[in-house]
Amino acid sequence: MIYLDHAATTAVSKSVREAMLPYFSEDYGNPSSLYLFAQKAKKAVEDSRRSLAGLLGINPREIYFTSGGTESDNWAILSAFYSAMGKKSGLSCSDAAGQKQRQPHIICSAIEHHAVLESCKFAESLGARVSRIPVDREGFLDLEALEQAITEDTVLISVMTANNEMGTIQDLRAIGEIAKKHEVLFHTDAVQAFGQIPLSFSEMGIDLLSASAHKLHGPKGIGLLVIRKGVRLPAFLHGGAQERGFRAGTENVPAIVGFAKAAKEAFATMVEREQRKRELQKMFFRRLLQEVPGMQITGVNPLETSEENRLSGNVHICIEGIEAESLLLLLDQKGICASAGSACASGSVEPSHVLLAMGKSHVEAYSGLRLSFEEDLKEEELEFTVEAIREGVERLRRE
Ligand SMILES: Cc1ncc(COP(=O)(O)O)c(C=O)c1O
């Protein structure tokens, strides 16, 4: 098998699995229990939180564990909305009364993951106003439109760090500056970028950040939301006092330990992995351009720029006259796992909202193919994949 869908998920690495194992059946105590035995589990959770905070250069108290990127995105967006409505927040009655007539306004980009888009839609159904800011042909946010959209009712700007389909990395510094200038909270969904590119909360003005372990060889079902000190958001899950009362529920100790281990390894190897992936990405694009007539690079073209504003493990192309779903089936027959867009949207017949937002036609949007890989991809595998795509495209064009 040639696995080219790392943006969808990754395998749990051996070292991560080993770090997790003791917390299933040996040190299985509930971190909230008071006896000594359970304190091992509690220590594991707090050590993990400290380790993750160290990697991010923040205070451990700013990290809240969640069930993954989707929950973190929901929390950031809906809690910012609830807070503004004065519904579930710690707002005083007079604050709440003062805001009663106002309609909280949320801004996101048009190319967010569904976890953000659907949270915004839900907030809209509860009374929020949502602005979806357009992007250009490479997938970069229109910063002027962003600034113009801000009003005194804007409570949150949510823009993803890097896109899960074509890998465009947004200018977070510029977005953070705009958010600070207008005193609006800035949330970034960093699920695809976490552990892949350096992130700086202070330089980028980030108030809230979502991440997920399963994109970096950690387990599925564990993520985090960073809530910077001073940002007041209401609790998301109500019940016990876990996560300082903001996210109730017995902690998933093995997963938390696995997340911290996976992140530690990803951060330690980020630079060297990045270098190799950039080489492979260029090689992939060059070879595809040579072998597949009528294909176009989607988003930033790394063959034409030295700026590193595209995730290095991402290759996305649109192929004239081809339905990506049909091509994927042919690739699958050859043991190649790839994607026609985001995994969460597959199964739906809708064309990618990301590609449409970048100005692609419906036909072009249906032809999008994403290959996401890591530094261990062998050049023979790359060649085999290019050849399989060439053959598949030829066959589909004949039929
Ligand atoms: C950009 C982005 N945000 C959010 C998510 C959802 O994360 P999770 O699968 O941990 O819920 C994903 C997963 O594909 C993603 O790529």
Side-chain angles (χ1 to χ4, degrees):
M1 178 181 79
I2 303 178
Y3 186 73
L4 297 173
D5 208 11
H6 286 86
T9 198
T10 59
V12 172
S13 69
K14 186 165 175 277
S15 53
V16 167
R17 196 168 63 236
E18 278 167 5
M20 292 171 70
L21 277 176
Y23 298 97
F24 285 104
S25 308
E26 288 165 41
D27 299 325
Y28 55 82
N30 184 327
S32 300
S33 301
L34 292 179
Y35 37 79
L36 212 57
F37 170 61
Q39 294 307 302
K40 280 191 183 172
K42 183 167 177 60
K43 183 172 181 314
V45 169
E46 294 316 319
D47 286 349
S48 300
R49 196 190 309 278
R50 254 193 305 281
S51 170
L52 283 158
L55 298 174
L56 289 169
I58 58 174
N59 191 304
R61 294 175 65 84
E62 295 174 306
I63 290 184
Y64 296 82
F65 291 114
T66 65
S67 65
T70 300
E71 184 185 324
S72 301
D73 288 345
N74 272 258
W75 185 355
I77 289 157
L78 293 173
S79 291
F81 167 71
Y82 293 143
S83 177
M85 291 291 274
K87 272 185 183 165
K88 294 192 178 182
S89 72
L91 285 178
S92 68
C93 293
S94 57
D95 283 343
Q99 294 195 7
K100 223 173 173 177
Q101 305 306 318
R102 294 236 166 124
Q103 186 182 25
H105 177 224
I106 298 168
I107 299 178
C108 67
S109 83
I111 58 166
E112 293 300 307
H113 188 270
H114 283 102
V116 166
L117 289 180
E118 292 299 315
S119 297
C120 286
K121 219 196 243 177
F122 182 58
E124 222 167 19
S125 77
L126 298 177
R129 186 168 75 83
V130 177
S131 301
R132 297 160 183 90
I133 306 300
V135 296
D136 65 17
R137 294 193 75 83
E138 291 183 312
F140 292 110
L141 192 74
D142 181 338
L143 295 173
E144 252 175 55
L146 169 69
E147 189 154 14
Q148 276 166 14
I150 298 172
T151 70
E152 57 177 9
D153 294 327
T154 308
V155 294
L156 183 77
I157 295 171
S158 180
V159 179
M160 66 203 320
T161 313
N163 184 269
N164 47 300
E165 293 195 31
M166 62 4 194
T168 302
I169 301 170
Q170 299 297 336
D171 185 350
L172 290 199
R173 271 188 186 76
I175 298 166
E177 243 168 59
I178 292 172
K180 285 289 148 303
K181 185 170 140 195
H182 295 273
E183 296 179 12
V184 177
L185 283 183
F186 175 31
H187 166 246
T188 190
D189 172 341
V191 169
Q192 291 290 333
F194 185 76
Q196 310 296 345
I197 60 169
L199 292 167
S200 163
F201 282 84
S202 51
E203 282 171 28
M204 296 169 169
I206 301 165
D207 297 304
L208 301 160
L209 178 141
S210 306
S212 181
H214 73 100
K215 309 290 184 185
L216 51 140
H217 298 285
K220 295 171 182 59
I222 185 75
L224 61 79
L225 179 67
V226 172
I227 306 180
R228 290 313 306 272
K229 187 164 176 267
V231 174
R232 282 174 67 216
L233 283 190
F236 194 54
L237 293 187
H238 306 274
Q242 292 92 353
E243 301 301 288
R244 293 186 294 286
F246 282 88
R247 199 273 182 184
T250 302
E251 298 88 341
N252 187 345
V253 182
I256 288 171
V257 169
F259 188 7
K261 178 77 174 169
K264 192 173 173 193
E265 288 178 356
F267 277 70
T269 55
M270 197 188 284
V271 175
E272 64 208 59
R273 284 189 295 118
E274 177 74 1
Q275 226 172 8
R276 180 60 185 152
K277 284 190 290 178
R278 290 224 172 270
E279 286 167 11
L280 288 166
Q281 185 184 48
K282 284 189 183 151
M283 213 181 291
F284 238 135
F285 277 133
R286 258 191 226 112
R287 294 292 295 124
L288 286 165
L289 283 168
Q290 283 164 355
E291 298 297 329
V292 186
M295 77 128 247
Q296 274 181 2
I297 295 175
T298 318
V300 175
N301 183 345
L303 303 174
E304 286 175 359
T305 176
S306 57
E307 277 193 54
E308 300 188 342
N309 45 16
R310 176 181 190 131
L311 288 179
S312 54
N314 171 292
V315 159
H316 193 294
I317 56 174
C318 288
I319 313 170
E320 204 184 344
I322 296 297
E323 270 197 17
E325 300 274 335
S326 313
L327 182 56
L328 281 182
L329 292 178
L330 296 179
L331 294 179
D332 192 19
Q333 285 169 12
K334 298 199 166 180
I336 298 168
C337 306
S339 166
S342 83
C344 308
S346 65
S348 93
V349 285
E350 293 296 308
S352 151
H353 66 282
V354 175
L355 298 184
L356 293 180
M358 290 167 72
K360 302 274 184 205
S361 67
H362 272 60
V363 172
E364 283 172 322
Y366 278 120
S367 77
L369 177 73
R370 180 186 73 186
L371 311 168
S372 47
F373 54 90
E374 290 188 341
E375 67 288 350
D376 59 354
L377 179 70
K378 296 186 183 68
E379 288 179 33
E380 307 88 84
E381 293 173 325
L382 186 151
E383 282 303 329
F384 183 82
T385 305
V386 172
E387 180 56 18
I389 294 172
R390 189 192 64 75
E391 270 177 32
V393 167
E394 242 174 41
R395 186 171 149 187
L396 292 171
R397 283 193 178 138
R398 266 200 314 270
E399 279 172 3

